[in-house]
Amino acid sequence: MLSLSKFMIKQIPYIMQNFIRSIILALFLTIFPSSDTYSQNLITNGDFGVFDPSILSPIPVGFTTTYTQIPYTGTTPSSTGKFAITNNPYALAPSDFRNVYDHPSDGSAGNGTGNMLFVDGKNNQMFWKQSPALPLQGGVKYIFTYWIRNINKSGPTPGPKVRFTPFGCSSCTAQDYAPNDYEWHKVSYAITPTVTEFISIELSTVNSVPAGNNFAIDDISLLPPPLPLTISTSKVNPSCYGFSDGL
């Protein structure tokens, strides 16, 4: 009887290890039932970089545009068909624009350290087009996202409206979005090509009026499908103690 008791006591650490391992795994799967992680953003420079006061007109990287760039300082007056890469478009027209900081990708309050794309809308003109085009796999769902904010102090009606067009996607359609207030809004679209195609996403203004169609764009992303969570486990089988061990 004494030998059996000692054997059972020596097995407790190994039994507890397996029990604790099972509990941790069960808790992880309960708290994170779909713990998938996205791959790297396929859009280059989607946040328009870090603000540098010495660079008045940062070079557009990762996109092309039909608009004309102006310095962020407001030394060149903003007008229809102009854009700027800036940390705050207020200086471009203090009497008309709000103080607006960039949309931080981590969800915290903007502090002016990051840039955004300011757009002075021109009727039915492309202001941002992803460059270069990317091969997107057929039958795979991608998520395209951008953030938009109306920066006018007030009016007019209608406000800014942006059209999303995935050029090169034979199975996709253009879609429009218009913010209804003066806060940052997240806009997302699914892109699922039926066949593998080279696709370039374009953002353009829709029916822009000459005045008041002013807005900011930030944190543009194109994400491929989630990478599945993989969990690997290993087990070490200990040598069992005999009844006579330690006697």
Side-chain angles (χ1 to χ4, degrees):
M1 190 67 169
L2 176 61
S3 298
L4 178 60
S5 298
K6 293 180 67 177
F7 169 75
M8 294 179 64
I9 290 173
K10 290 180 179 181
Q11 295 304 306
I12 288 177
Y14 301 103
I15 296 173
M16 290 301 297
Q17 287 178 15
N18 291 330
F19 175 74
I20 293 173
R21 186 182 296 112
S22 300
I23 292 297
I24 292 174
L25 180 59
L27 286 174
F28 186 86
L29 294 177
T30 300
I31 297 173
F32 306 104
S34 58
S35 299
D36 298 328
T37 56
Y38 280 100
S39 300
Q40 183 178 0
N41 183 6
L42 301 180
I43 298 294
T44 300
N45 193 39
D47 61 359
F48 303 100
V50 177
F51 178 67
D52 184 342
S54 67
I55 303 176
L56 304 185
S57 298
I59 298 174
V61 176
F63 71 98
T64 60
T65 181
T66 60
Y67 281 49
T68 302
Q69 187 173 13
I70 58 176
Y72 77 87
T73 55
T75 52
T76 301
S78 178
S79 60
T80 302
K82 300 292 188 3
F83 82 95
I85 298 175
T86 176
N87 70 330
N88 188 344
Y90 176 78
L92 297 170
S95 61
D96 299 320
F97 297 166
R98 295 169 179 266
N99 269 301
V100 174
Y101 286 144
D102 67 304
H103 175 267
S105 57
D106 63 1
S108 61
N111 56 14
T113 59
N115 283 324
M116 69 190 86
L117 179 68
F118 158 76
V119 179
D120 196 326
K122 186 176 182 180
N123 190 30
N124 301 321
Q125 293 291 314
M126 178 269 290
F127 64 84
W128 182 92
K129 186 173 184 178
Q130 159 215 334
S131 179
L134 296 172
L136 301 190
Q137 184 177 346
V140 174
K141 182 179 179 180
Y142 298 80
I143 301 298
F144 176 77
T145 299
Y146 69 90
W147 289 79
I148 183 172
R149 185 167 182 171
N150 184 345
I151 66 167
N152 297 293
K153 284 188 175 179
S154 61
T157 302
K161 180 183 288 187
V162 171
R163 175 161 296 169
F164 153 82
T165 307
F167 279 97
C169 181
S170 57
S171 57
C172 302
T173 57
Q175 300 182 63
D176 298 343
Y177 179 82
N180 56 10
D181 56 29
Y182 302 98
E183 301 300 323
W184 281 109
H185 288 265
K186 182 181 181 180
V187 186
S188 296
Y189 299 104
I191 303 174
T192 309
T194 54
V195 296
T196 299
E197 298 171 302
F198 275 85
I199 295 173
S200 186
I201 299 167
E202 177 180 299
L203 298 177
S204 58
T205 47
V206 182
N207 299 327
S208 301
V209 294
N213 194 48
N214 307 293
F215 56 93
I217 297 287
D218 204 2
D219 289 333
I220 303 174
S221 64
L222 177 62
L223 300 178
L227 298 174
L229 174 68
T230 58
I231 300 177
S232 61
T233 60
S234 61
K235 181 177 66 173
V236 177
N237 293 319
S239 299
C240 295
Y241 290 101
F243 287 110
S244 61
D245 286 353
L247 295 179

